[in-house]
Structure formats: C-alpha cells, structure tokens
Amino acid sequence: MTIFFSRQPHLRPILLALLLSNVAPAAHAAGCGPNVLGPSRVMPIGTQGGGETGLKTYPRSLPLADHEIVLTFDDGPWPGTTPKVLDALAAECVKATFFLIGRNAAAAPALVKREITEGHTVGHHTMTHPSLTLRGLPDARAREDINRGIAAVDLAAYGTAGTEPRVPFFRYPGFGDTPALNHWLETRNIDVFSADFWASDWVPMTPEAELQLVLARLDKARKGVILFHDTKAQTAAMLPAFLRALKQRGYKVVQIVPGPGPIATLPAPADWTSATERTLQKMWPKAPLQKEPAAPAPGEAVPDAQ
Ligand SMILES: [Zn+2]
C-alpha cells in the first residue's frame, strides 16, 4: 500500500502506526491466538475538508464491506465500566473508537491513557454533553463546548493539547448537529460520525436482552458503524458474548484512524431516512428540531441498484 506522510504533524504518529499495523500479520497479532475474534484491518478515514457519515443521521456511510463492522463507544471514560469494556476488547484482540466526554477524561486520565496504550482510537464528544444537545445552545457556546472537550481529552491522553485535535474525529451528543457547526468542523478538517445502527443501551435492559437486540439489528444491517456506551453496565456485561457472536457469525472488526485526503463514503440505500430527528425528540425532548431535514448533496443519494 502507499503511505502518504501528512503535512499535518499531528497525523504523523497515526500514519506511522498505520504503516506498522500493515507490516505485522493482521490476522493473529502478537498474543492473539487463532480462537479470538482478532483484528481484521485498519481503515484510514480522510479528514481533509471533514465530512459527515452514519446512516442514522446522514445519507452516506463509510465504505465497509459486507460483514465488516466498526465498534464505537460514547460518553466515557467511566471508572466502573470502561475497564471491563477494555478487558473484553483486549481478550478478543480487537480495536474500537471511543468518543470521550472532556470532563470524564479530565476526571479519569489514566483510563484515557489506557485506551491509547492499548491501541484504540480516541475521538471527541464535547466537554459537558449538554442536555439540550449542542443544537440547543447558541453557536458560540456550542463551539466552546466542542473546543474545551477536545482540549480536555488531548490533555488527558497525551499530556498536551494544541488548538486542533490529535485525532480529528467528533460525534455530537444525541447526534444533534447543526449545519453551521458541521460547516465549521469541515473547515477544521474534523470528521463527524453518526452511527449506522445502535444497541439502544440507554434503555435499561438485561445484558442478554441487549445482546439479542443488537445481534438482530446487526443481522439486518450486515455491516456498519455501531454505537455503544462504555458507561453502561449492561453493555460492559454483554460485550464478551457479543464479540464471540461476531466471530461465530463471520463478522470482521475494522479499526478507523485518521487518514490523508478527503473522506470516502458510500451513498445510503434508496429507502434511507434519518432516524435522528425523531430520536432526538424522544431522548432529548428539549432539543430544538432542525428546521429543514438533512438533504442529500447533489448526486449523492442516487439509489444503489443493490
Ligand atoms: Zn453521548
């Protein structure tokens, strides 16, 4: 493969890690036996000009193949549950992406460092996770919450924080975006991630019920970026069984990392609709509705014949 060394210095360590990850045999990395789920591949996601993906909110997704999934965990780190999630991922030798709340990172920097040390991707999820979502805040306050979150996470993770995130990956609390904030993040070369499906783990249920729910959704979707919360005990409890089920069903876990160039995406299926607006109203009733539904960009939502 061709490796582009970015002119952006903060991406160089990531690209170097990417290079090394492709030198090592991917199937069974050191310490990973043949019986674990194991790493499949690292997918660089272009950040030049930013971009929004995730079928729950946007009419486009990452270019994953059938039976490829990306594991993402929001709202941590959380001392009671995040270590169990990290243990489960380590036991199966797979890597995830964590979208951290800045104040949680500041309160538990050792857990952030553990996520980095164990090779996971650490992205951003605001400083305070406001109950109105960012959409309910004045634009300047929303930007401030994003920036403070980035600084807090990077300080906890790396000991220093610059003006731009080391890993320019961001997820909105409650997926409550605005066109102005999306544009602002694009100008900063920060990618926005919604999700393709989720575990609904904000709803209290037994780990067994959550496992059955998420497997049913996975079998329907067959691939995609999945959203969990590593702050939820039921998710931490079901994760080992979920990862074993992935192996039994032939799924591969792909790790996403920042990459060079613009983001590559796949258009949504022809029957796509956004689930975000109705979910926002259910989950975050005080969050304002978006005035206009998110419209596909010209030429983007051409139905895929498949
Ligand atoms: Zn969240």
Side-chain angles (χ1 to χ4, degrees):
M1 69 178 283
T2 306
I3 296 289
F4 299 93
F5 276 91
S6 171
R7 279 181 231 149
Q8 296 170 274
H10 67 283
L11 292 181
R12 284 180 192 143
I14 295 159
L15 292 171
L16 183 61
L18 176 63
L19 175 65
L20 294 174
S21 76
N22 280 279
V23 170
H28 300 127
C32 301
N35 296 322
V36 300
L37 178 57
S40 63
R41 68 179 174 121
V42 174
M43 176 188 257
I45 309 295
T47 62
Q48 183 188 327
E52 303 84 33
T53 57
L55 297 173
K56 284 293 187 188
T57 314
Y58 307 107
R60 67 194 82 92
S61 59
L62 298 180
L64 295 166
D66 186 56
H67 275 66
E68 282 190 333
I69 70 165
V70 175
L71 301 170
T72 68
F73 295 88
D74 285 10
D75 293 2
W78 200 248
T81 46
T82 301
K84 291 178 185 151
V85 167
L86 289 169
D87 289 347
L89 296 171
E92 295 291 339
C93 281
V94 289
K95 309 298 181 193
T97 297
F98 291 85
F99 290 98
L100 303 189
I101 296 176
R103 64 184 176 192
N104 288 353
L111 276 178
V112 185
K113 288 187 177 71
R114 182 178 166 191
E115 289 171 352
I116 301 279
T117 302
E118 296 186 2
H120 301 292
T121 301
V122 170
H124 304 278
H125 195 47
T126 75
M127 184 67 180
T128 67
H129 210 288
S131 59
L132 291 172
T133 76
L134 294 184
R135 199 184 279 184
L137 302 183
D139 191 61
R141 276 188 56 204
R143 293 184 187 203
E144 184 192 357
D145 208 320
I146 292 172
N147 280 340
R148 287 176 58 220
I150 288 169
V153 167
D154 278 4
L155 190 61
Y158 312 106
T160 59
T163 55
E164 295 302 321
R166 300 274 191 109
V167 175
F169 286 179
F170 178 74
R171 179 176 273 158
Y172 287 96
F175 296 166
D177 66 355
T178 73
L181 288 173
N182 281 342
H183 176 70
W184 178 64
L185 293 169
E186 288 165 8
T187 65
R188 295 176 65 184
N189 300 313
I190 295 174
D191 287 338
V192 168
F193 293 86
S194 173
D196 296 323
F197 64 104
W198 51 46
S200 295
D201 59 356
W202 52 86
V203 178
M205 64 183 108
T206 65
E208 293 73 24
E210 185 178 324
L211 177 65
Q212 294 312 315
L213 177 68
V214 72
L215 286 175
R217 289 176 176 171
L218 175 59
D219 285 343
K220 192 169 169 219
R222 297 175 61 90
K223 65 174 184 172
V225 175
I226 179 168
L227 163 66
F228 292 104
H229 292 81
D230 56 308
T231 53
K232 298 294 183 187
Q234 66 199 43
T235 292
M238 61 77 77
L239 194 59
F242 176 67
L243 297 176
R244 283 193 296 275
L246 289 182
K247 182 168 176 68
Q248 286 163 1
R249 293 169 191 229
Y251 284 95
K252 309 281 187 195
V253 175
V254 173
Q255 183 182 16
I256 54 172
V257 298
I263 192 168
T265 62
L266 285 178
D271 59 352
W272 176 86
T273 57
S274 167
T276 292
E277 298 306 316
R278 67 174 183 269
T279 306
L280 264 174
Q281 289 310 294
K282 206 164 139 190
M283 295 287 301
W284 308 85
K286 292 179 180 168
L289 276 172
Q290 201 169 55
K291 290 190 180 72
E292 302 283 338
E300 182 171 51
V302 175
D304 186 336
Q306 304 302 309

